[in-house]
Amino acid sequence: MPALSADAADTVSLVRQLQLLDESTIRLLEQLFTNRLDEELVTSLVGGREEALAIALFRVCAGTHAEHILGYALRFLADLVFADHVIGAQLGRDDLQKQFGGHPASLLLQIASTHNETLGISNPAIYLAATALRFGTYEGNEGSFKEFFSLARHTFAPETLQVADVEFTVQACVQLARRKDYRRLFFQEDIVSCIPRLLTDIVSSDSAGIIQIIYESLLLSWLLSFEYEGIVLLVRERMIPQLHRVLQRVQKEKCVRVTLMTLLNMVEAERKYMNQMLNPLSDEWVDESIQVLGRLHQGDTAEQISTFKKGPSLVAEMVSVGMIKTLGQLFRRKFGDEDISVMVEHLNAALEKSMQVLTSFSQYRGEVLSGVLEWTPVHTSAKFWKENAEKVEDNNYEVLVALGKTLRESKNEVTLAVACHDLGEIIRYHPTGRNLLTLAAMAGVKERVMSLMSHTNPEVAKEALLCTQKIMVQRWEFMQQTA
C-alpha cells in the first residue's frame, strides 16, 4: 500500500489516540486515504461500516484544534459523503446530539464560521452541514437552517464570484433542495435571487470549474422548479432568458440536459394550470398550490393587471427570447445522451403549438383591448403583421381605435413602446397605411407618437422614432434597404 501523506498519517494517529476505531477499520481507513475515492470503491470497501467511519471522522473534526488535521478530515469525509450518501445519512441522526453536545450540523456550521478565511476547512464544513441537515429533521434544528442560509447568502453576495469560494456552498444547496419539504426554505430565505448570478458572474481560469458550477446551479434550479412557488420566483428572477443563454453557449451535455428538464417542468406547470382554468371539472389531479402561478405577470394594482392574462405565460416568454431557433440548432446536434434529443423535440413541440395561439389575431385583440401591452411573440412576428394588418378594420376599427386610446392615455413605458411599434407595423403592412390616422377616432395619435420621440425612456423614444418614420415615409421597405 502506498505511503500515507503527512496529513493522513496525523489523522490516523489521532484516531488511534482517541480510540475511535478498531484496528481492522483503521486499516480500511488507511486504504481509503491512499486511493482516489469513487462510488464503486467506497461501496466495495465500506459496506456495513458506514456508521463507524462517519462517526469516527466527525469526532476527529469535532475534537482537534490542529488545522491541518481538521481540514484533511473534513475534506475526506466530504468526499466519502459525495461517493456514498449512506455515510452522509449518519450525520443527520438526532441521537448524535447527546454525544457531541449539539446537532452535527450546528457544530459543522460553527467550524465553517470560525475558519471562514480558510476555504479548505469552511467549504467542506458547509457541505457536510447541509448533508447533516438533509438527513435530519427540521424540528429542533431551525437555528441551524437559519445559520446555513445566512452563510449561503453571504457566500453569494460579493460582486465577483470565484469558483473556489462558492462551489461547496452551491453543492450544499443542492443537497438540501433534494428534500421536497425543505425547498420552501429556499423561498423563505431568498436564495432563488442568487441563482442567476451563479450562471453569469463566476470568474475563474479553470473552465471545467465554471462548467461544474453552472451545472450545480442548473441542478438547483431544476429541483426548485418542481415546486410551483419555485417556478414563480425563478421566472421573476429572469431565469428563462438565462436558461436560454445556457442552451446557446454551453456545450456540456449534462448542462443542456438539466436546462431542458427545468424548462419542461415550467411547460408542464403552465399546461396543468391552464387546464384547470379552462376545465375546472377535469379529473386530472393537481396540487392546489398550483394557484400560485396566477401571481405571475400581475401588476402591483388591479388597474395594471392585464385582463387577457389569467395566469402564467411561461411558454410565451420562451418563444419571445428566441428559444425555437435555438432548439432547431440543438436538434441538428448529435448527443451521446439520446434523452436530450427527445427532450428537445418535446419542448419544441410545446413551443410551436403555443406559437400558433400566441400569434393569433384573437390573442392580439384581447391584449390590445386590455390596454396593457408587453413584448409577447405576436408583436415581433413579421408573418403576423403581413397576415393580419387588414383585420384592424374589423368591428369598426375596434383594435386600431383601442391602440390609439392606449397611446394617448397610458403612462406605462413598456406599453407605450409596444404600442408605438404596433402602430408602425400596421401602417407598414396595411394597404392604406398612414391614411388610417385620418380616422376621427385616431385624432391626436400622430402628434402623441411624435412627442414620445423625446421620452426619457430610450426604448419608448426609439419605438416612437421608428413609428414616426413609417408614418412619414411611403415606401418603408425602400428606406430600410438604403439605411
Side-chain angles (χ1 to χ4, degrees):
M1 186 172 65
L4 295 174
S5 68
D7 291 345
D10 287 347
T11 303
V12 170
S13 177
L14 184 59
V15 168
R16 281 199 172 97
Q17 181 183 333
L18 298 175
Q19 298 181 340
L20 300 178
L21 295 171
D22 58 38
E23 278 302 315
S24 66
T25 309
I26 288 177
R27 286 194 293 274
L28 166 64
L29 187 62
E30 290 175 334
Q31 189 174 356
L32 291 170
F33 280 169
T34 56
N35 281 277
R36 183 178 179 83
L37 297 182
D38 59 40
E39 184 176 353
E40 185 178 349
L41 175 71
V42 173
T43 301
S44 64
L45 293 180
V46 177
R49 289 190 274 192
E50 290 90 354
E51 179 181 345
L53 269 179
I55 293 177
L57 286 167
F58 183 76
R59 281 183 175 278
V60 169
C61 298
T64 183
H65 295 291
E67 285 199 350
H68 71 290
I69 295 179
L70 176 60
Y72 184 83
L74 284 169
R75 292 191 296 274
F76 181 78
L77 182 53
D79 286 340
L80 271 182
V81 167
F82 190 78
D84 184 355
H85 288 162
V86 176
I87 295 174
Q90 307 305 317
L91 298 178
R93 290 168 38 184
D94 289 333
D95 63 317
L96 294 184
Q97 294 190 49
K98 294 180 180 180
Q99 296 185 43
F100 301 119
H103 193 277
S106 177
L107 297 178
L108 286 162
L109 288 169
Q110 184 179 346
I111 290 172
S113 179
T114 303
H115 299 273
N116 65 324
E117 297 297 324
T118 309
L119 295 181
I121 294 176
S122 62
N123 276 342
I126 290 172
Y127 177 78
L128 290 169
T131 302
L133 291 172
R134 172 190 173 184
F135 290 106
T137 58
Y138 182 75
E139 293 72 21
N141 297 310
E142 293 90 340
S144 293
F145 280 96
K146 282 281 186 184
E147 188 176 353
F148 170 80
F149 285 114
S150 177
L151 277 171
R153 285 194 303 273
H154 177 75
T155 301
F156 301 146
E159 186 174 340
T160 299
L161 303 174
Q162 303 289 338
V163 168
D165 295 336
V166 301
E167 57 183 341
F168 277 88
T169 305
V170 176
Q171 290 176 13
C173 287
V174 170
Q175 280 274 70
L176 277 185
R178 291 188 184 278
R179 280 276 296 263
K180 179 177 175 61
D181 54 330
Y182 288 168
R183 291 171 191 160
R184 62 182 173 82
L185 302 176
F186 287 84
F187 314 145
Q188 295 171 9
E189 300 293 338
D190 191 30
I191 298 299
V192 177
S193 63
C194 303
I195 297 176
R197 297 195 58 229
L198 296 170
L199 296 175
T200 57
D201 293 350
I202 296 291
V203 178
S204 171
S205 58
D206 178 11
S207 59
I210 292 178
I211 291 297
Q212 186 61 25
I213 287 294
I214 289 175
Y215 171 69
E216 296 283 352
S217 303
L218 292 169
L219 199 56
L220 179 58
S221 300
W222 172 62
L223 290 168
L224 297 180
S225 74
F226 280 97
E227 311 304 318
Y228 296 124
E229 185 174 0
I231 290 177
V232 169
L233 295 176
L234 287 167
V235 171
R236 285 183 174 173
E237 293 298 332
R238 305 293 295 152
M239 273 299 291
I240 288 178
Q242 294 284 10
L243 294 171
H244 179 233
R245 181 176 177 271
V246 170
L247 292 181
Q248 286 179 305
R249 303 185 182 185
V250 180
Q251 296 295 309
K252 200 70 173 178
E253 285 195 12
K254 64 180 183 180
C255 294
V256 174
R257 181 176 62 250
V258 75
T259 299
L260 292 169
M261 289 160 58
T262 306
L263 291 167
L264 285 168
N265 273 0
M266 293 179 176
V267 168
E268 179 64 5
E270 181 172 334
R271 184 199 66 77
K272 287 183 176 180
Y273 181 91
M274 297 310 296
N275 186 50
Q276 289 293 304
M277 290 291 295
L278 299 173
N279 305 294
L281 300 180
S282 169
D283 58 2
E284 180 182 26
W285 183 86
V286 177
D287 190 310
E288 63 180 14
S289 66
I290 199 171
Q291 296 304 319
V292 74
L293 293 179
R295 298 200 325 238
L296 275 171
H297 303 294
Q298 291 185 352
D300 296 327
T301 65
E303 292 75 19
Q304 293 174 306
I305 298 176
S306 173
T307 56
F308 87 104
K309 283 183 178 175
K310 300 298 184 182
S313 53
L314 311 181
V315 175
E317 186 172 350
M318 293 177 201
V319 172
S320 68
V321 299
M323 193 92 62
I324 289 179
K325 179 181 178 181
T326 300
L327 291 175
Q329 295 167 345
L330 289 176
F331 194 74
R332 291 190 289 273
R333 272 183 62 183
K334 181 68 176 176
F335 292 101
D337 182 351
E338 294 181 359
D339 288 344
I340 294 179
S341 297
V342 173
M343 286 189 284
V344 169
E345 272 192 77
H346 287 169
L347 184 57
N348 187 67
L351 267 56
E352 289 284 3
K353 180 180 179 182
S354 179
M355 189 68 173
Q356 296 172 12
V357 176
L358 293 171
T359 56
S360 69
F361 191 76
S362 61
Q363 177 85 2
Y364 178 70
R365 174 182 175 274
E367 185 176 357
V368 173
L369 295 182
S370 78
V372 180
L373 305 179
E374 300 174 16
W375 287 113
T376 51
V378 65
H379 302 282
T380 55
S381 169
K383 182 174 181 288
F384 169 81
W385 293 112
K386 289 175 183 177
E387 295 177 353
N388 295 288
E390 291 184 57
K391 291 183 181 178
V392 299
E393 299 176 10
D394 296 351
N395 299 322
N396 199 25
Y397 293 93
E398 174 189 44
V399 169
L400 183 65
V401 171
L403 190 62
K405 184 175 184 289
T406 296
L407 274 166
R408 287 192 298 264
E409 299 178 3
S410 180
K411 306 297 182 190
N412 182 278
E413 293 175 346
V414 174
T415 293
L416 287 173
V418 178
C420 285
H421 172 272
D422 288 3
L423 181 61
E425 292 298 89
I426 291 170
I427 291 170
R428 176 182 179 183
Y429 288 107
H430 192 278
T432 61
R434 55 186 177 174
N435 290 334
L436 293 172
L437 296 177
T438 63
L439 294 170
M442 297 298 286
V445 171
K446 176 180 174 181
E447 291 74 17
R448 170 61 169 164
V449 171
M450 294 177 72
S451 71
L452 290 174
M453 288 192 294
S454 58
H455 198 281
T456 54
N457 182 286
E459 184 179 41
V460 175
K462 172 191 171 185
E463 294 299 339
L465 173 61
L466 289 172
C467 182
T468 300
Q469 290 174 335
K470 293 171 187 177
I471 293 171
M472 297 300 187
V473 180
Q474 287 187 359
R475 296 186 63 192
W476 170 254
E477 298 296 341
F478 175 76
M479 194 190 88
Q480 284 287 85
Q481 292 170 9
T482 57

